[in-house]
Amino acid sequence: MTYQELKAEENQYVMNTYGRFPIALDHGEGATLWDVEGKRYIDLTSGIGVNCLGYNNEKIVSALTEQARKLMHVSNLFTTEPMVKVAKTLVERTHLEGKVFFANSGAEANEGAIKLARKYSFDKYGEGRFKIVTLVNSFHGRTVTTLKATGQDRFHNYFFPFTEGFDYAEANDFDSLRKKCDDMTCAVMMELIQGEGGVLPLDREFVKQVEALCREKDLLLIIDEVQTGVGRTGSLFCFQQYGVKPDVVTMAKGLGGGAPIGAVLAAKSCCDVLTPGTHATTFGGTPLVCAAANAVLDTVADGAFLASVREKGEYLKNGILALGSPAIHGVRGMGLMLGVIVDEGKHTAFANKLIEKGVLALTAGKNAVRLLPPLTISKEEMDEALTIMKEVF
Ligand SMILES: *Cc1c(COP(=O)(O)O)cnc(C)c1O
């Protein structure tokens, strides 16, 4: 089918909840994609930070096909090797000495973390200590609870009543956060680089202060690494570059390299809080997606691979700055999570123009063209993207 034919049927049969770009993608190889009409694109999006090893990655494809032949799914009433292996790798490679709960998405991972924090506090202090402080301009998901956890008013609409017990502190303003943490607070939850909010990294000093406050008041420090995790910023998890020790780390997007998987990684301090009957999901940790996650982690949790992500990030960032375009006011971010800063409100027009010219890009916040390329992107692919960016910017 052509794009026009597909679009007509999409309009008829699929709920209109996304402002989709006007192309229908068909297949990919590395960081290159082709649409149904055969037009070629350099992908600087990885879905939205999902396809971290690119398209048609041999390791993921063979892990998935082999596992599909063996066993795609069993309920969580049985043990499977792929699940145990993902958990073991995550625990060992983060040195958190904890345990993992598997979910299916970022929002669900955050829901799990919120439940864990509330129960941690309930078990220890009883009722009334339920509040979770998040940051203004954050993004934590689309369920009724994680929408409320998201510190942006525009998400707190239509779906009333939202879950109670969230309050928002200003990012990088420790006084603001300390004031929000009262006797009813059980946790602080934050992204280290606000992704949807505009690719805004938190200050190191602020994060350290928040960690110290959490220790002082016995609050759980929940780091939402749904976007920053699994190698995206040049370390397996972003918190490792901030030098802090979270109580809970949530992840999803890149973890399955395209297979839908989310996870809550709880450190020793709280990894036994969720007990039989208190949290569950049918699909979580199913062997098919865990086979993909093992292929991803085998590749990404490697010093040389992570160094290559940092190098590519520098190359792309410097390449963008070297375009010398007056439309570009800077590049923010870490590793291969970058925001090209343009005039406020112009980011969408730039993303559309890039796509028209053959580079897939995202937007974030009010002024960022957000780039989340596959971590395996080649130098040639980056150079091709830079040539097109020069024209567009
Ligand atoms: C994308 C994202 C989520 C939500 O993940 P879903 O898989 O869409 O539910 C949560 N937190 C952050 C930081 C994200 O970037």
Side-chain angles (χ1 to χ4, degrees):
M1 278 203 236
T2 64
Y3 171 71
Q4 294 305 337
E5 289 163 348
L6 276 170
K7 192 65 193 174
E9 297 209 342
E10 181 185 324
N11 288 342
Q12 189 175 354
Y13 298 116
V14 181
M15 278 194 209
N16 180 26
T17 62
Y18 298 98
R20 289 192 165 94
F21 292 114
I23 52 177
L25 293 167
D26 184 67
H27 65 283
E29 188 70 46
T32 305
L33 283 163
W34 285 265
D35 69 14
V36 290
E37 268 128 33
K39 187 173 166 198
R40 194 169 161 272
Y41 302 86
I42 303 296
D43 177 34
L44 302 184
T45 69
S46 312
I48 303 178
V50 168
N51 304 295
C52 58
L53 302 188
Y55 302 92
N56 197 21
N57 177 276
E58 186 48 42
K59 217 165 162 174
I60 295 186
V61 172
S62 52
L64 279 169
T65 45
E66 277 164 36
Q67 190 59 47
R69 286 182 205 285
K70 264 174 90 177
L71 190 66
M72 287 219 291
H73 172 81
V74 286
S75 73
N76 273 306
L77 304 175
F78 299 94
T79 300
T80 60
E81 189 172 330
M83 171 190 73
V84 174
K85 188 166 178 242
V86 178
K88 185 178 177 190
T89 307
L90 289 174
V91 169
E92 286 185 350
R93 300 305 303 254
T94 54
H95 307 288
L96 289 179
E97 294 161 49
K99 293 178 186 174
V100 177
F101 174 87
F102 289 104
N104 311 288
S105 67
E108 275 180 78
N110 286 336
E111 287 265 351
I114 290 163
K115 283 178 70 178
L116 188 156
R118 286 185 166 182
K119 187 167 183 295
Y120 171 85
S121 196
F122 181 90
D123 290 349
K124 231 168 145 174
Y125 303 98
E127 271 183 70
R129 201 172 173 275
F130 53 81
K131 212 172 94 177
I132 296 176
V133 174
T134 68
L135 299 182
V136 172
N137 198 41
S138 56
F139 182 79
H140 297 295
R142 291 285 193 161
T143 62
V144 170
T145 297
T146 55
L147 275 175
K148 198 65 200 287
T150 292
Q152 302 185 52
D153 288 342
R154 68 189 175 96
F155 287 102
H156 306 157
N157 210 346
Y158 318 121
F159 312 112
F160 304 103
F162 287 92
T163 308
E164 286 175 50
F166 291 93
D167 203 352
Y168 317 102
E170 290 292 333
N172 296 324
D173 180 344
F174 181 62
D175 272 344
S176 156
L177 186 127
R178 191 175 44 195
K179 283 190 196 119
K180 299 285 184 181
C181 292
D182 57 22
D183 292 345
M184 295 189 307
T185 308
C186 66
V188 174
M189 175 156 95
M190 56 196 196
E191 304 152 88
L192 293 173
I193 304 176
Q194 295 188 330
E196 304 300 317
V199 194
L200 294 154
L202 294 184
D203 296 342
R204 199 183 163 85
E205 182 56 27
F206 171 74
V207 176
K208 288 269 192 198
Q209 285 174 311
V210 174
E211 181 190 36
L213 182 76
C214 287
R215 297 294 160 261
E216 181 197 319
K217 291 181 169 274
D218 195 17
L219 313 176
L220 293 191
L221 176 59
I222 305 170
I223 303 294
D224 178 345
E225 294 242 22
V226 171
Q227 194 160 148
T228 52
V230 198
R232 175 58 52 191
T233 67
S235 51
L236 187 55
F237 289 96
C238 192
F239 79 80
Q240 296 166 312
Q241 291 184 68
Y242 276 83
V244 291
K245 246 185 155 178
D247 296 291
V248 180
V249 180
T250 58
M251 65 198 82
K253 292 195 166 93
L255 182 58
I261 177 171
V264 185
L265 168 58
K268 202 175 178 180
S269 53
C270 57
C271 65
D272 294 318
V273 166
L274 295 175
T275 48
T278 59
H279 198 43
T281 165
T282 297
F283 284 116
T286 215
L288 189 72
V289 294
C290 284
N294 281 317
V296 168
L297 291 171
D298 279 350
T299 307
V300 174
D302 169 76
F305 185 89
L306 291 167
S308 80
V309 173
R310 295 192 295 272
E311 279 157 26
K312 288 174 191 182
E314 283 301 305
Y315 184 80
L316 195 55
K317 183 179 175 172
N318 292 334
I320 293 165
L321 291 172
L323 299 178
S325 164
I328 295 174
H329 306 313
V331 179
R332 285 197 291 254
M334 288 162 72
L336 283 170
M337 178 172 182
L338 298 174
V340 182
I341 310 312
V342 296
D343 283 344
E344 196 168 315
K346 294 280 169 62
H347 52 340
T348 307
F350 276 117
N352 284 327
K353 195 78 189 161
L354 283 166
I355 290 174
E356 197 188 304
K357 297 284 178 190
V359 169
L360 300 192
L362 297 159
T363 57
K366 295 191 179 86
N367 63 0
V369 176
R370 180 172 39 150
L371 310 179
L372 303 168
L375 308 180
T376 51
I377 191 169
S378 68
K379 185 169 172 294
E380 291 70 30
E381 286 166 324
M382 286 193 283
D383 286 341
E384 197 176 333
L386 285 166
T387 304
I388 293 169
M389 288 168 113
K390 186 171 176 69
E391 195 184 329
V392 170
F393 285 110

